[in-house]
Amino acid sequence: MRRFTFHRLWAMVLKEFIQMKRDRLTFGMMVGIPLMQLMLFGFAINSDPKHLPTALRIADHGPFARTLVAALRTSGYFNLVTEAATEAEARRLLRLGDVQFVINIPEDFSRQLLRGERPTLLIEADATDPAATGPAISAVRAISDHVLDRDLVGPLARLRAKAGPIDFQIHAHYNPENLTPYNVVPGLMGVVLTMTMVVITALAITRERERGTMENLLATPVRPFEVMLGKIIPYIIVGYLQLTLILLAARVLFDVPMVGSLALIYAVSLLFIAANLAMGITFSTLAKNQLQAVQMAFFFFLPSILLSGFMFPFRGMPEWAQWVGSILPNTHFLRIVRGILLKGNGLAEIAPALWPLLAFLVVAMAVGVKRYRQTLD
Amino acid sequence: MSGSAYAIDVTGVTKRFGDKTVVNAIDLRVQRGEIYGFLGPNGSGKTTFIRMLCGLLTPDAGTGTCLGYDVRTQQADIKRHVGYMTQKFSYYEDLTLRENLDFIARLYDVPDRRAAVQRSLERLGLVNRSHQLAGELSGGWKQRLALAACLIHSPQLLLLDEPTAGVDPKARREFWDEIHRLADEGLTVLITTHYMDEAERCHRLAYLAYGNLLAHGTLADVLANGRLTTWTVTGPELITLAAALRGRAGVEQVVAFGTTLHVSGRDAAKLDAAVSAVRSPRHAWKKTSSSLEDVFISLMDQAKDNFA
Ligand SMILES: Nc1ncnc2c1ncn2[C@@H]1O[C@H](COP(=O)(O)OP(=O)(O)OP(=O)(O)O)[C@@H](O)[C@H]1O
Ligand SMILES: [Mg+2]
């Protein structure tokens, strides 16, 4: 009777389910938080910003240049607000944020084009907000390849080179590391799950203690492992609900490509969700009250956002930060999800990121079971 | 498991929180089938003692058995055969009565669970309310739920910590009738209370103050060992009389009960001397037997001198 039994585990699971069902507010938050976060991040990502203020620096007023400018304007991404006479002035406009782009058409653009020399069209972008500049830059590439097709006819047709007649140079200022929405939405999965899963279980045991129900629970034969697992299992289902919501949104709202296997994502997520829940449970065995538990969860959440590679590129972080980051489940989950969704990775490729998750889960659970006080001492 | 005649048999049980000794070397024996009352002022260590019996706290010193299981090492076995009703309501307020009982029944792996839950609802008259959330119940109904829940696994020993605090007199009487029925069926009950009338319904009593066991035995034993002499007075201007009595040698308690005054002390000779000094024909004086409350208050005053 000292060992783990399923009927006691099942009793805990059922109880937690009923309580979850009754606690509409928390349940609503479980569903609401991922949606809200998606919307918040989504606005920055999804707005596909158009009519961005743009300055022109035209040193060549030939017909090709005119065609190009007209095409850029009709693309809708650029709002040609001003002309910059000098390079210094162009820089100033960018720095002040008066314009997002400066498009430079060099002096002998038309002549070089005719000679087949692939003239350079330099676009300088204020990339502090890469989500804003990204789509516009992609549009420029698309335009440049074909905009001149109509002009390059007859003997000039040979200039429609494979690589495009114009050599585009894009200088992204201030933030050379271009984050794309594809990167962010899958990352959001890890962030949302970390946030909600850790908090919800961090409260689980402290709540029992604060409401006085712990004394009763301790007076029954239920074992620590049964209590913890019983509190984890119902929230695994909530975690999957959140995961599904985010995947749906990624697909429908943000058009994130899903190259790899969704089944693999769902399978692997179990490990990640359980790791976070175990972390939360462990916090709740350490915390004296619910407030402390929430604070602990928050302290866990911060590095999970900042050091996991969600906010900043992992390899760009100092060594100590990478070291901390590689302990966190979110770091590995991000790699797994991005790998599967964007690169189509299979089990073999993501395996190196699975072990750290498993190790984290086991350690967190062990600490929790050890710290769970079976008496009121 | 043993056939020991005692459901509880402990010696020298001690518990310290920091450097404060909350339960001090208590010896206690409770026979099977007995209703044992546990009394004492607030903070005297009753709850702490009970928690040690059912494995919720580990004693700092002392040995003994509860239902034949060692209180220090066999706590898991004790938990399976003891029903513990906490002082503060500790079932789930966001679960219905039936869900609460069902949860507890599952934890104890009660055979034929559904029927057991139904029986316990019926027995305590909770059937009509079985779908009500526990949090919506009034205090008296919560107590009934708690009693039902701690009986559901057919325990051999009930530890009830102030089960009737804040319950109306009729419900209290019904509660006690139920306790006596259970005791008749062979259940042992250890119950704490602050009510003297309830103390008188116990087979045996123990009185605890500042963590020390000051008196124990049957009601008659406790009264006899109190060695208290009590006078009752009726008549006019009792307040002036009380003031005159207080502070005299031998007078330990002067308590007003409506239109009578109880004057008591342990030293009968000194008390009689004090009474003679203030006695006048205006008042009717009568020597009576001391009440349990008089005895307990006297015990507590002594304890204050000795331990506090
Ligand atoms: N976990 C604890 N940590 C520190 N002190 C404690 C703890 N539990 C109880 N105490 C102290 O031990 C003393 C005895 O408390 P206990 O609850 O056993 O008294 P009680 O006799 O049940 O009182 P009441 O009649 O008010 O219920 C009190 O002074 C209390 O403050
Ligand atoms: Mg108490």
Side-chain angles (χ1 to χ4, degrees):
Chain A
M1 273 308 258
R2 275 153 202 279
R3 278 166 294 116
F4 172 85
T5 71
F6 274 103
H7 66 259
R8 290 197 296 253
L9 172 63
W10 186 234
M12 286 302 299
V13 170
L14 278 181
K15 185 210 91 172
E16 292 293 326
F17 258 124
I18 299 173
Q19 290 189 305
M20 189 158 79
K21 194 179 73 186
R22 302 259 154 83
D23 190 357
R24 292 271 161 76
L25 184 69
T26 307
F27 191 74
M29 264 167 46
M30 299 274 86
V31 179
I33 284 177
L35 286 180
M36 206 178 72
Q37 290 230 345
L38 269 175
M39 288 305 144
L40 289 179
F41 280 88
F43 272 123
I45 302 159
N46 184 44
S47 52
D48 190 16
K50 297 205 166 176
H51 309 291
L52 298 169
T54 303
L56 274 179
R57 205 160 79 75
I58 305 184
D60 179 336
H61 291 274
F64 295 125
R66 269 205 307 277
T67 312
L68 196 62
V69 168
L72 288 175
R73 184 178 282 137
T74 48
S75 77
Y77 283 99
F78 303 97
N79 183 16
L80 304 176
V81 288
T82 178
E83 280 208 27
T86 64
E87 190 178 325
E89 194 191 339
R91 279 289 156 82
R92 196 181 56 87
L93 288 170
L94 263 186
R95 199 169 51 240
L96 293 178
D98 287 349
V99 298
Q100 186 110 27
F101 297 100
V102 176
I103 297 174
N104 296 283
I105 299 177
E107 212 167 336
D108 39 7
F109 181 78
S110 302
R111 200 171 335 131
Q112 284 188 346
L113 186 76
L114 289 174
R115 282 197 213 126
E117 281 176 2
R118 300 192 74 229
T120 302
L121 184 78
L122 177 66
I123 296 186
E124 293 177 278
D126 170 2
T128 42
D129 185 359
T133 47
I137 288 172
S138 327
V140 170
R141 286 188 195 286
I143 292 165
S144 69
D145 285 351
H146 300 290
V147 62
L148 298 177
D149 284 4
R150 247 184 307 145
D151 291 349
L152 298 175
V153 289
L156 295 179
R158 69 187 158 82
L159 292 174
R160 299 185 200 165
K162 274 195 209 88
I166 303 170
D167 172 26
F168 265 98
Q169 294 263 336
I170 291 157
H171 279 186
H173 291 269
Y174 313 124
N175 179 9
E177 190 74 44
N178 264 335
L179 288 175
T180 74
Y182 299 166
N183 228 353
V184 174
V185 174
L188 214 50
M189 251 159 35
V191 170
V192 167
L193 286 173
T194 303
M195 184 167 148
T196 49
M197 295 289 101
V198 174
V199 170
I200 198 73
T201 44
L203 294 176
I205 288 174
T206 39
R207 190 186 296 135
E208 299 253 5
R209 214 174 290 132
E210 271 182 28
R211 291 187 185 169
T213 50
M214 198 64 193
E215 183 170 3
N216 218 326
L217 208 55
L218 289 176
T220 73
V222 73
R223 311 285 305 158
F225 192 62
E226 293 157 356
V227 174
M228 296 198 181
L229 212 55
K231 284 180 175 291
I232 283 181
I233 289 173
Y235 292 108
I236 287 184
I237 294 169
V238 174
Y240 271 118
L241 205 69
Q242 295 186 328
L243 191 75
T244 309
L245 272 176
I246 297 174
L247 279 175
L248 270 177
R251 183 79 233 153
V252 176
L253 297 180
F254 304 118
D255 247 352
V256 173
M258 295 184 184
V259 188
S261 146
L262 279 184
L264 188 59
I265 291 221
Y266 273 90
V268 170
S269 298
L270 180 63
L271 208 53
F272 177 67
I273 292 172
N276 280 311
L277 291 173
M279 189 69 243
I281 289 275
T282 301
F283 283 151
S284 81
T285 58
L286 298 170
K288 289 205 165 54
N289 51 48
Q290 297 198 43
L291 182 66
Q292 267 188 16
V294 171
Q295 283 171 338
M296 286 182 187
F298 192 69
F299 276 118
F300 181 72
F301 180 58
L302 272 185
S304 290
I305 275 200
L306 297 177
L307 305 183
S308 63
F310 174 72
M311 275 306 206
F312 310 114
F314 193 79
R315 287 196 181 78
M317 300 192 309
E319 203 168 323
W320 65 266
Q322 291 196 24
W323 198 83
V324 175
S326 50
I327 298 173
L328 300 169
N330 199 22
T331 308
H332 303 283
F333 187 64
L334 287 190
R335 290 180 194 160
I336 292 173
V337 172
R338 285 175 180 164
I340 296 176
L341 279 187
L342 307 177
K343 300 183 203 159
N345 282 353
L347 191 56
E349 287 101 326
I350 61 168
L354 283 179
W355 295 114
L357 281 184
L358 189 65
F360 188 94
L361 170 64
V362 170
V363 171
M365 198 69 187
V367 173
V369 170
K370 189 137 181 58
R371 286 285 320 187
Y372 180 91
R373 277 157 292 205
Q374 263 201 291
T375 60
L376 295 167
D377 284 284
Chain B
M1 225 27 252
S2 78
S4 156
Y6 296 108
I8 299 171
D9 186 357
V10 292
T11 47
V13 172
T14 301
K15 184 72 190 177
R16 282 180 284 267
F17 288 118
D19 53 4
K20 192 171 156 208
T21 304
V22 170
V23 172
N24 187 14
I26 288 190
D27 306 338
L28 190 77
R29 284 180 157 184
V30 178
Q31 282 172 20
R32 286 178 186 267
E34 205 169 45
I35 300 176
Y36 204 101
F38 219 56
L39 290 95
N42 294 131
S44 55
K46 303 181 295 295
T47 301
T48 307
F49 182 73
I50 289 186
R51 284 176 174 166
M52 284 191 281
L53 288 182
C54 62
L56 286 181
L57 288 174
T58 319
D60 291 319
T63 53
T65 57
C66 190
L67 297 171
Y69 298 111
D70 192 306
V71 288
R72 301 182 73 99
T73 57
Q74 296 181 295
Q75 293 161 328
D77 297 291
I78 293 176
K79 286 178 184 177
R80 266 184 300 130
H81 298 289
V82 169
Y84 171 44
M85 179 167 164
T86 54
Q87 181 168 357
K88 182 177 171 292
F89 181 75
S90 58
Y91 291 89
Y92 297 94
E93 303 214 330
D94 47 355
L95 261 55
T96 65
L97 302 197
R98 192 183 290 275
E99 285 161 352
N100 266 303
L101 291 175
D102 198 63
F103 171 61
I104 300 294
R106 280 178 197 272
L107 284 186
Y108 284 100
D109 200 15
V110 171
D112 199 3
R113 195 187 71 251
R114 264 170 220 282
V117 169
Q118 187 63 28
R119 264 199 313 279
S120 84
L121 283 170
E122 278 163 13
R123 177 162 190 166
L124 291 146
L126 294 168
V127 177
N128 291 337
R129 295 171 180 265
S130 66
H131 290 290
Q132 210 171 336
L133 292 184
E136 293 168 357
L137 295 175
S138 70
W141 287 100
K142 278 186 179 160
Q143 306 292 59
R144 284 190 197 210
L145 165 62
L147 184 64
C150 66
L151 282 171
I152 199 139
H153 59 294
S154 320
Q156 297 167 22
L157 170 66
L158 268 189
L159 302 172
L160 308 175
D161 198 355
E162 292 190 34
T164 55
V167 174
D168 73 56
K170 181 166 175 290
R172 255 171 61 196
R173 183 163 294 179
E174 283 167 11
F175 193 91
W176 272 90
D177 291 344
E178 178 68 22
I179 297 296
H180 272 276
R181 264 200 301 280
L182 291 165
D184 285 345
E185 291 168 15
L187 203 67
T188 312
V189 183
L190 179 74
I191 183 166
T192 75
T193 178
H194 290 295
Y195 295 112
M196 293 305 137
D197 59 321
E198 292 187 351
E200 289 171 8
R201 293 192 70 171
C202 296
H203 298 128
R204 267 171 220 276
L205 299 172
Y207 187 77
L208 208 66
Y210 305 102
N212 295 279
L213 193 62
L214 298 184
H216 63 100
T218 61
L219 180 62
D221 292 343
V222 173
L223 287 176
N225 290 337
R227 285 192 206 88
L228 203 64
T229 311
T230 301
W231 287 85
T232 59
V233 206
T234 49
E237 289 162 32
L238 287 178
I239 295 175
T240 332
L241 183 64
L245 279 165
R246 281 201 184 100
R248 280 180 186 269
V251 178
E252 286 167 6
Q253 296 176 39
V254 184
V255 190
F257 287 88
T259 56
T260 60
L261 209 59
H262 287 212
V263 185
S264 28
R266 268 167 293 155
D267 189 328
K270 276 190 186 164
L271 181 70
D272 291 350
V275 167
S276 323
V278 296
R279 197 165 178 167
S280 76
R282 294 200 300 146
H283 295 101
W285 288 85
K286 203 170 70 179
K287 212 170 202 172
T288 56
S289 57
S290 307
S291 72
L292 196 56
E293 184 163 304
D294 297 332
V295 171
F296 282 159
I297 289 173
S298 153
L299 283 171
M300 199 170 99
D301 289 343
Q302 276 171 266
K304 201 185 279 170
D305 300 340
N306 293 342
F307 303 108

